[in-house]
Amino acid sequence: MDTSSLAELGTAALLAATFAFAFVSGIIPFVLNIELYLLAVAALTDASLVPIVGLATAGQTLAKLILYLVGKGALNIKWVKKSASSKAADAFAKRPGGGLGIVALSAVVGFPPLYGVALVAGTLRLPVVAFAVLITIGRIVRFAAVFLAPELFR
């Protein structure tokens, strides 16, 4: 194997790891942190922003769609449903009709926690396409900012 083949293999492994880490951290964020992962990738590799942020966004969006389906009752995963955030439910209750705004805010800034917001959004049966689009856009913004942060210190 020549060095270019090893570099290509390393890049493919990094891309696959990014998607997998993002997905798993979207389901169990209290164990894995995607933002720390992205900071490490940005600071320690020469990876490009677009594929890394794109795959991290895809993994997280898929995870949040699964949580949405759990909240909606389409999937019965008891340990996930029991973890629904009351803070997210309170945020929705305080702003009737503003549910998609809360989804967008949570996707970008992380408050209220997107984990709970996804579950509550499913419970309230917010439009799934709008939910997915807002999660995707919000995560792109958040993850690009995180990925670019190490550049501030170079």
Side-chain angles (χ1 to χ4, degrees):
M1 239 185 200
D2 61 14
T3 55
S4 66
S5 295
L6 285 174
E8 288 173 18
L9 181 61
T11 300
L14 178 63
L15 295 175
T18 298
F19 178 83
F21 194 97
F23 175 77
V24 174
S25 73
I27 299 292
I28 51 172
F30 35 85
V31 176
L32 301 174
N33 186 292
I34 187 62
E35 289 83 3
L36 290 177
Y37 174 88
L38 290 172
L39 282 172
V41 169
L44 301 174
T45 72
D46 60 351
S48 298
L49 175 126
V50 172
I52 297 296
V53 169
L55 287 167
T57 298
Q60 281 267 306
T61 300
L62 179 60
K64 299 313 178 193
L65 282 168
I66 289 171
L67 293 173
Y68 174 96
L69 292 172
V70 169
K72 188 175 180 179
L75 298 175
N76 188 14
I77 304 174
K78 291 179 183 167
W79 68 269
V80 174
K81 195 151 187 151
K82 287 181 182 177
S83 301
S85 171
S86 63
K87 290 180 183 176
D90 291 344
F92 277 94
K94 289 177 186 173
R95 292 182 172 57
L100 290 175
I102 293 170
V103 169
L105 178 70
S106 181
V108 175
V109 301
F111 186 82
L114 190 53
Y115 182 92
V117 167
L119 289 167
V120 173
T123 302
L124 296 176
R125 301 190 186 295
L126 294 180
V128 68
V129 173
F131 173 82
V133 168
L134 290 172
I135 295 295
T136 301
I137 293 168
R139 295 277 93 176
I140 288 170
V141 170
R142 181 178 179 87
F143 294 160
V146 169
F147 190 86
L148 294 171
E151 288 297 317
L152 298 173
F153 301 100
R154 289 186 185 171

